[in-house]
Amino acid sequence: MLLSKLLLLPFAVASTVTVYVHSLPGSDHSVSAPLPTPIPLAQIDYDVSTSTGTVSSYTPPTGSYNADHLLRIGLSDSKSGHWRGVVTSAASFAEEYKKKFTIHVDEKGEIYHIGFGTSAKGAGEEVEVEVIKRASGPKPLLNKPVVLNAEGKLEGKEPEKTFLQKYWWMIALFLAVQFLAGGGKE
Amino acid sequence: MRLHARALALAASLVLPCAAIFEDDAYHIDYHHALAGLPKRDTTFFQQPFPGSKASLIYTLSQKQILAAVNPKDGAIVWRQSLSGPPGTGMLRSGEEQDTVISAAGNSIAAWSAADGRLVWENTMGGATAEDLELLEQEDGMANADSKDAVVLLSGSSPEVQRLDGKTGRAKWTYTDSSGDTPFQLSTSPTTIFYISLHTPMLGGSKIKVTSLSPITGKKLDQYTLSSEGEVQSREHILFTGANTAAPLLAWTDKLNKVLKVNIIGTKGVSTFAPPSNEPVQEIVLHASNRVTSLPHFLVEWQTATGHSADVFHVDLKKATIAKAYSLPVLAGKGTFTTTSSDANVYFTRVTPDEISVVSSSSHGILGRWPVKAQSSLAAAHPVHGVSEVVVKSGSASAVRSAILYSNGQFALIRNGELAWERPEFLADAVSAAWAELPEEETLAHELEVEGHSNIISAYIHRVKRHIRDLEYFPAWLQSIPNRLLGNLFGNSQDDTIGDIQRDTFGFHKLVVVATSSGRMAGLDVGSKGKAVWNIDLDQVAPDVAFTRPSLKTAHGYIEVKDRGFEGTLFINSTTGALISSKDIEAHEPSLSEAQRLIAFDLVDGELKGFLGAELTLDPVWTFTPPNGEKIIGFTPRPIKDPVASIGKVLGDRRVLYKYINPNLVLVTAALESTRTASFYLLDSSSGQLLHAISHHDVDVTRPIPSTISENWFSYSLTIDSAADSTSRGYQLVVAELFESAIPDDRGPLGASENSSTLQPSSAMGDVAMPYVLSQTYHIVEEISHMTVTQTKQGITTRELLVTLPSSNAIVGIPRSIIDPRRPVGRDPTALEASEGLTKYTPFIFIDPKWHLNHKYEVMGIEGVITSESGLESTSLVFAFGLDVFGTRVAPSFAFDVLGKGFNKIQMLLTVVALFVGVLFVAPLVRRKQINALWTI
């Protein structure tokens, strides 16, 4: 058991993913123009077994974007050039926010979607990583079945205590009272 | 107002979940078109349901493989059965003096009791498919007294002819054809069974090969080939194979309908006839009686582009020759002919849009003629095919009734020129539907919009002008008051009397626009029992597009029609059905302010993609792809109009759980067959962020996986595989509710901030976007094929989950409190929880018969259910389409804002009057007493 875990460990830890950022053309821009090439935004190492991840490198997008400018953040498949990801605004990369990358992985630990969010800067790192595993669907919570034994009786029911087992302390009390209280008259 | 809404919400949530249809509402608030689909020419006939019956029923096997018996008196369905097999392939036969009808569909041959539609026997033919079916009317020249045997032609690995026992359906003998020819049809004569196959040589054309079989042993008696290869290129060129006639005929034509060749089956001679030469013939149809005892006469119908005519031919049985007897003149426009036989006589009925006339097969004299009264519903439509019953007394036809399929999809019965009934059978192909507003509401909304966008003074002037204009309706309104009052008092509601579509007080009158797979669109008025207001053919509007699955979207006063095989969009006026040019549309486009930008999303190449702007451009702004090659099988966005009355859920201890309300939620369903997984992803459709992901294992992904989303909850249903390893299998219903935080009285990181954006950064502490998800799973007894949620005007009324149960032909409204994911598990609810209306969790939801919305109706083949608000907050309008059309109104928290039918208004008025009279009498007495009291101190 342990051995197999140890064997699997290297595979589980050594996951790295590069997140790219694309600048989207503004609304006044003609639609037909090609998108600018993606720029690597962050390099993230993550471990599925412990659901943790760290940012190994992070370069915020440079360039003078106005706050409403849309940027898309996502993963790019190196082989097919296929892209998937989310959209956010340029303002999210401002200094005063804490950035968080969310990595969505399936049961096998393969990454399939990425999320990006910001929050107020508190203590801790400027860039955070969260790994979210796909949850297993809720199952109906069944009632416990009534199990009968061969005699048709409920299994595991404790045998009834005898009269003495149940009331010995009463008898003992009675006797004690008799002994302690009864002796004085004679 | 706010307080009022909250009080209402509280009242609504306290009502116990036992809403059911009231007895006096049934059949009044709901309507049902039990449809069969378009009847086919060769499987529709009049027939007595049992020997000796005086009345007959219309039996039909439709394009949708529905076997139905229709009462010719009122057009009601007596019974119907759904058969297997691909659409339009079934066969239906019935013998004379029989109490069964026999159907062949797919691989199943079945006999049905003609009177009540019960299954008498069924014979399933393994992998073979039934190609043709005939009944043996006679055996050795004698009529079979009891159940007539069926002969069936099967195409499997090698074609087979089987004779099936009429009582049990067991095969009596089997003839196997190993020649490799294509099986075509069967035909029978009183002494022989003819098996007709197509022998296709290497070079084009097909030879018709006729094999005679002995009806008793099934042995081959004779075989001959007709050299038809010059004409017959495909099956459609064979026009007719006469069945059960004394002289069975085989007729074929060539590609251009230039020649008609007729062979009397059993002889080798071929007679050749030429169509009328003046115009190219588009279609040739042969009409002959299928009774053994009738005269061997037949009629050939010639349809040209501008008119139609017919020739009647007589067959000489002794000489085995065919001769033309007489012609029926050319009439402009389209028409059709029907055949009726009574005893030995054969009558042909000619049906045109204007006239019905009857001739006898033996002479050209017209026996009867009836002008057809113009009907608005049949306007611009022509008869396609039909069946007739004729009463002939002393040489003249005294009555005729014809059940005719019209080109606009109406199946109508015309009795002596008058329309007796019509059935909107085209609605059986409905694939999508959308609600549309009535024109008055649309114009008012437009006027208000104009007023809202101009400055105060001009808006005020505009409003005054509008009110002055509205005064012109004032006298008419005054005149309608007495009628309305009387109608209200005596309980006969207006619903039945309203002829044209107009707004009613309660907003129950709405339009539903339905589009069918055959490219037809219709507007139905749900306020007057789903009557078709207009009915158009999209092929005429856009002739070069083949519509297969039109999708509809409602906009202001018009409907946008899109289709997969069609690049552009059609705009149809929702109240008249007229085409609107796209130029007139521009003015109505929604105006967005500068800061707003639209993100549209759609499924593109198996991925969900979001795009900037309303158009789908090349570059998506976000993309979602499910992992492991899972296929997205559907996505459900939150309805655009989904008002939420309360942002929180009040708990028993007066604390509040805040709902996660995001207008951009979309629930994506993905499935993977190889691992039997179904996954559900909740996305934010503006940013593409994944909010929640769930996957279920051991799922039978071939079964439907319906889902719906509303307010702050979503629901889906799936089938756990019977081979699954889990502790429980079967149909499951999952409900999940989203909250801002798991802790009551806590609004999560966002707090009470007014605005939040999924694109703009947030300066709140902690993770903003993620909802807290509570979910529970229940077992249900039946599969759900479709689900949706009721809608009301303000969202104060509790919602109800409407599910379609295909196996019991029902639509059921499951109350929200039954599927509340906060039901306590494994313990009884505490007093506080009980005060919220929570009950103990049970793993199984029993579908209460009281929840059925369709009560005694059987709603078959439902493809979808749509809901809409009505004018009343308590009531939601429901419309179901598919094979049947069904509509009703639901009030999940009861009709708290309208008086029920049981309320006696007259009694109330009488009580008021009696009290008033009493006061009049008592007042002087009291006054006197008071005065007396003052004087007697």
Side-chain angles (χ1 to χ4, degrees):
Chain A
M1 187 67 193
L2 195 68
L3 191 73
S4 68
K5 257 191 182 166
L6 278 175
L7 281 172
L8 283 172
L9 209 57
F11 300 100
V13 173
S15 302
T16 305
V17 67
T18 314
V19 183
Y20 293 90
V21 61
H22 296 232
S23 163
L24 285 168
S27 51
D28 51 334
H29 202 274
S30 75
V31 181
S32 54
L35 281 182
T37 46
I39 306 154
L41 176 70
Q43 189 98 19
I44 296 170
D45 300 321
Y46 65 96
D47 180 1
V48 177
S49 56
T50 56
S51 286
T52 52
T54 51
V55 180
S56 55
S57 77
Y58 170 69
T59 37
T62 50
S64 56
Y65 300 118
N66 72 39
D68 281 339
H69 189 91
L70 295 184
L71 299 170
R72 58 179 209 187
I73 294 167
L75 311 167
S76 216
D77 197 330
S78 53
K79 277 173 254 164
S80 60
H82 180 258
W83 176 85
R84 59 205 158 156
V86 299
V87 64
T88 188
S89 63
S92 305
F93 292 98
E95 283 288 310
E96 64 259 39
Y97 303 114
K98 183 158 89 179
K99 289 103 194 159
K100 183 160 127 184
F101 291 98
T102 312
I103 289 173
H104 296 276
V105 293
D106 63 2
E107 291 81 1
K108 287 184 205 151
E110 241 168 83
I111 180 162
Y112 67 95
H113 199 67
I114 190 150
F116 178 77
T118 54
S119 56
K121 213 175 199 174
E125 288 172 60
E126 193 199 356
V127 185
E128 267 188 350
V129 176
E130 188 183 14
V131 179
I132 298 183
K133 246 189 201 175
R134 188 166 67 169
S136 185
K139 290 211 163 67
L141 304 157
L142 304 180
N143 299 330
K144 288 207 175 60
V146 180
V147 181
L148 300 179
N149 61 15
E151 284 97 57
K153 289 188 179 148
L154 278 177
E155 194 77 58
K157 198 181 167 191
E158 280 178 35
E160 195 126 323
K161 286 174 181 169
T162 58
F163 183 81
L164 266 181
Q165 278 174 321
K166 261 187 189 168
Y167 301 112
W168 63 267
W169 55 274
M170 277 185 137
I171 296 165
L173 200 70
F174 175 74
L175 287 176
V177 167
Q178 288 297 319
F179 279 120
L180 294 176
K185 267 191 182 168
E186 282 163 61
Chain B
M1 187 61 220
R2 189 69 194 264
L3 206 89
H4 192 62
R6 277 205 184 157
L8 265 179
L10 191 70
S13 62
L14 286 179
V15 174
L16 284 173
C18 59
I21 313 276
F22 292 110
E23 201 176 348
D24 55 349
D25 275 346
Y27 306 104
H28 291 283
I29 61 164
D30 46 21
Y31 53 89
H32 179 218
H33 298 314
L35 300 175
L38 299 177
K40 289 196 296 172
R41 188 193 294 273
D42 56 335
T43 57
T44 306
F45 45 80
F46 276 99
Q47 175 76 29
Q48 276 93 354
F50 48 88
S53 163
K54 281 200 181 122
S56 51
L57 298 176
I58 302 168
Y59 292 93
T60 181
L61 178 58
S62 72
Q63 297 278 4
K64 299 265 292 183
Q65 299 288 91
I66 301 288
L67 170 58
V70 179
N71 190 340
K73 273 213 180 78
D74 54 1
I77 289 236
V78 181
W79 56 265
R80 52 184 177 155
Q81 296 283 353
S82 176
L83 307 185
S84 60
T89 56
M91 277 143 298
L92 181 69
R93 300 285 180 263
S94 82
E96 282 173 68
E97 304 285 299
Q98 294 285 291
D99 56 1
T100 55
V101 290
I102 298 187
S103 72
N107 64 350
S108 153
I109 322 291
W112 309 89
S113 166
D116 56 11
R118 295 207 175 134
L119 183 70
V120 179
W121 53 258
E122 186 178 17
N123 192 343
T124 314
M125 297 297 176
T129 313
E131 287 286 321
D132 197 18
L133 171 77
E134 295 300 340
L135 296 190
L136 284 178
E137 282 286 348
Q138 290 191 340
E139 202 155 351
D140 296 329
M142 298 285 286
N144 282 339
D146 47 354
S147 308
K148 285 168 185 168
D149 286 1
V151 192
V152 60
L153 172 64
L154 302 167
S155 73
S157 48
S158 59
E160 281 180 352
V161 180
Q162 280 191 5
R163 175 175 173 166
L164 306 179
D165 189 277
K167 273 207 186 89
T168 59
R170 281 194 207 104
K172 282 188 171 170
W173 50 253
T174 304
Y175 165 79
T176 311
D177 172 28
S178 48
S179 64
D181 294 342
T182 317
F184 182 62
Q185 274 197 321
L186 288 176
S187 185
T188 59
S189 79
T191 51
T192 328
I193 295 171
F194 299 105
Y195 156 54
I196 299 154
S197 57
L198 296 181
H199 178 71
T200 313
M202 295 300 279
L203 289 167
S206 298
K207 283 181 180 175
I208 298 172
K209 197 197 240 175
V210 180
T211 311
S212 346
L213 306 173
S214 159
I216 296 156
T217 59
K219 292 274 169 356
K220 183 160 105 180
L221 300 176
D222 190 19
Q223 190 169 47
Y224 66 92
T225 310
L226 297 167
S227 49
S228 60
E229 64 270 26
E231 296 88 36
V232 177
Q233 303 289 332
S234 72
R235 287 170 151 245
E236 290 86 61
H237 297 147
I238 302 182
L239 299 170
F240 188 81
T241 37
N244 287 337
T245 42
L249 300 170
L250 186 59
W252 67 93
T253 182
D254 63 350
K255 209 174 177 181
L256 297 167
N257 295 332
K258 282 263 164 94
V259 69
L260 173 72
K261 294 201 169 186
V262 185
N263 163 251
I264 303 169
I265 303 177
T267 66
K268 286 180 186 172
V270 175
S271 314
T272 308
F273 302 99
S277 53
N278 41 9
E279 233 185 315
V281 173
Q282 288 183 331
E283 198 187 0
I284 305 173
V285 188
L286 220 106
H287 299 270
S289 167
N290 60 356
R291 296 244 188 127
V292 190
T293 49
S294 49
L295 291 167
H297 297 168
F298 66 95
L299 179 143
V300 179
E301 173 187 331
W302 315 100
Q303 295 279 2
T304 65
T306 57
H308 65 286
S309 60
D311 291 330
V312 175
F313 295 87
H314 289 179
V315 179
D316 190 329
L317 285 175
K318 282 181 194 147
K319 292 185 204 155
T321 55
I322 301 167
K324 184 168 144 183
Y326 64 91
S327 295
L328 292 170
V330 181
L331 286 182
K334 300 263 182 190
T336 189
F337 295 86
T338 65
T339 317
T340 317
S341 49
S342 110
D343 301 330
N345 297 314
V346 179
Y347 301 102
F348 298 117
T349 309
R350 183 176 201 168
V351 185
T352 68
D354 321 308
E355 194 187 62
I356 290 181
S357 57
V358 178
V359 291
S360 163
S361 66
S362 41
S363 72
H364 61 84
I366 287 182
L367 302 179
R369 193 197 285 271
W370 292 266
V372 176
K373 288 194 184 118
Q375 290 292 333
S376 60
S377 58
L378 302 178
H382 61 264
V384 178
H385 64 79
V387 285
S388 298
E389 272 192 335
V390 183
V391 181
V392 178
K393 273 183 195 151
S394 60
S396 79
S398 59
V400 60
R401 57 177 180 181
S402 310
I404 305 290
L405 175 70
Y406 279 84
S407 59
N408 65 354
Q410 296 274 8
F411 188 47
L413 188 111
I414 300 196
R415 193 186 294 134
N416 299 338
E418 286 193 36
L419 180 76
W421 49 259
E422 55 185 340
R423 299 174 50 80
E425 293 294 356
F426 65 97
L427 288 176
D429 296 326
V431 287
S432 58
W435 293 96
E437 289 294 331
L438 294 181
E440 296 154 59
E441 286 171 39
E442 287 294 348
T443 47
L444 182 65
H446 182 65
E447 301 270 1
L448 289 177
E449 207 173 310
V450 168
E451 280 165 24
H453 280 109
S454 47
N455 67 45
I456 292 182
I457 298 162
S458 63
Y460 183 74
I461 294 168
H462 187 272
R463 175 160 293 193
V464 170
K465 273 188 192 160
R466 179 162 62 83
H467 286 178
I468 291 170
R469 245 184 298 133
D470 284 348
L471 273 182
E472 96 183 63
Y473 304 107
F474 186 65
W477 182 77
L478 273 185
Q479 276 174 0
S480 69
I481 286 182
N483 268 336
R484 271 171 43 198
L485 261 181
L486 285 178
N488 255 325
L489 276 184
F490 297 107
N492 47 350
S493 80
Q494 290 182 313
D495 296 7
D496 312 326
T497 52
I498 287 176
D500 54 337
I501 35 161
Q502 53 182 26
R503 229 178 86 153
D504 63 330
T505 334
F506 298 142
F508 295 153
H509 270 260
K510 278 208 172 180
L511 272 178
V512 169
V513 179
V514 178
T516 72
S517 58
S518 50
R520 214 156 238 301
M521 263 176 86
L524 309 181
D525 179 8
V526 298
S528 44
K529 306 258 166 202
K531 197 184 73 175
V533 181
W534 51 266
N535 169 5
I536 57 160
D537 191 356
L538 285 178
D539 294 342
Q540 282 172 3
V541 175
D544 46 345
V545 187
F547 286 92
T548 50
R549 240 193 130 73
S551 67
L552 305 177
K553 201 177 135 201
T554 315
H556 291 288
Y558 59 88
I559 300 281
E560 288 179 31
V561 187
K562 286 189 176 175
D563 197 32
R564 232 174 272 160
F566 176 46
E567 289 280 304
T569 311
L570 284 180
F571 300 99
I572 305 286
N573 185 324
S574 54
T575 42
T576 61
L579 185 74
I580 309 175
S581 69
S582 51
K583 270 179 262 162
D584 303 335
I585 302 297
E586 303 285 327
H588 291 296
E589 282 296 317
S591 51
L592 291 173
S593 66
E594 275 300 299
Q596 283 178 303
R597 274 200 276 180
L598 211 61
I599 289 183
F601 65 97
D602 202 359
L603 201 58
V604 182
D605 305 328
E607 293 177 315
L608 204 65
K609 292 184 179 181
F611 300 93
L612 210 54
E615 306 264 312
L616 304 187
T617 50
L618 204 63
D619 297 307
V621 292
W622 57 262
T623 304
F624 175 75
T625 320
N628 304 329
E630 277 179 7
K631 208 171 134 250
I632 295 182
I633 53 172
F635 62 92
T636 323
R638 216 184 122 188
I640 295 167
K641 213 171 181 184
D642 192 24
V644 178
S646 165
I647 57 162
K649 195 169 204 179
V650 182
L651 305 183
D653 53 4
R654 303 288 107 191
R655 290 188 301 165
V656 177
L657 265 180
Y658 287 96
K659 296 172 184 172
Y660 180 85
I661 300 161
N662 180 344
N664 301 321
L665 291 180
V666 56
L667 183 67
V668 181
T669 311
L672 187 63
E673 192 143 3
S674 61
T675 55
R676 300 185 301 156
T677 330
S679 312
F680 300 86
Y681 305 95
L682 190 69
L683 295 178
D684 176 272
S685 65
S686 64
S687 65
Q689 301 269 12
L690 180 64
L691 303 177
H692 189 61
I694 327 160
S695 74
H696 286 262
H697 301 283
D698 301 320
V699 178
D700 186 352
V701 297
T702 58
R703 305 308 308 164
I705 305 176
S707 64
T708 189
I709 181 164
S710 170
E711 207 181 355
N712 69 323
W713 57 280
F714 63 87
S715 168
Y716 54 86
S717 172
L718 36 82
T719 307
I720 299 294
D721 213 312
S722 61
D725 208 16
S726 58
T727 47
S728 65
R729 294 157 217 169
Y731 309 115
Q732 291 187 349
L733 177 69
V734 184
V735 182
E737 197 161 1
L738 315 170
F739 294 104
E740 286 186 350
S741 162
I743 311 153
D745 280 348
D746 172 42
R747 295 212 57 183
L750 267 184
S753 54
E754 290 260 316
N755 293 310
S756 82
S757 164
T758 43
L759 295 186
Q760 292 295 331
S762 129
S763 51
M765 292 295 290
D767 200 358
V768 177
M770 297 296 168
Y772 167 69
V773 183
L774 251 177
S775 58
Q776 266 178 0
T777 304
Y778 307 91
H779 271 287
I780 42 173
V781 71
E782 269 181 72
E783 183 175 80
I784 295 174
S785 66
H786 184 270
M787 58 168 77
T788 187
V789 181
T790 58
Q791 272 187 30
T792 56
K793 209 166 193 173
Q794 321 261 347
I796 297 169
T797 306
T798 49
R799 284 160 169 85
E800 203 169 67
L801 183 71
L802 299 180
V803 298
T804 307
L805 307 177
S807 52
S808 54
N809 295 333
I811 296 173
V812 171
I814 301 177
R816 187 72 182 83
S817 57
I818 298 290
I819 47 170
D820 192 328
R822 293 184 54 249
R823 285 174 73 175
V825 179
R827 60 178 173 85
D828 283 322
T830 61
L832 287 176
E833 282 171 336
S835 70
E836 273 181 68
L838 290 174
T839 49
K840 187 182 170 183
Y841 171 87
T842 49
F844 182 80
I845 294 183
F846 166 71
I847 289 174
D848 195 324
K850 279 186 286 198
W851 300 344
H852 284 241
L853 303 182
N854 53 315
H855 51 94
K856 282 191 176 163
Y857 295 132
E858 285 215 320
V859 283
M860 272 169 81
I862 293 302
E863 293 254 326
V865 181
I866 53 172
T867 57
S868 164
E869 60 180 44
S870 73
L872 293 177
E873 170 52 33
S874 67
T875 310
S876 170
L877 304 177
V878 179
F879 181 83
F881 59 93
L883 173 68
D884 283 6
V885 169
F886 171 72
T888 188
R889 306 200 290 256
V890 288
S893 305
F894 292 113
F896 53 79
D897 47 5
V898 67
L899 288 175
K901 274 205 168 163
F903 189 82
N904 195 337
K905 288 168 187 161
I906 297 173
Q907 196 179 5
M908 188 196 73
L909 278 182
L910 286 179
T911 314
V912 171
V913 168
L915 282 173
F916 184 69
V917 170
V919 168
L920 282 187
F921 273 104
V922 174
L925 295 177
V926 174
R927 205 178 303 131
R928 202 185 311 146
K929 203 179 167 190
Q930 278 174 342
I931 292 169
N932 288 345
L934 283 175
W935 281 103
T936 56
I937 295 177

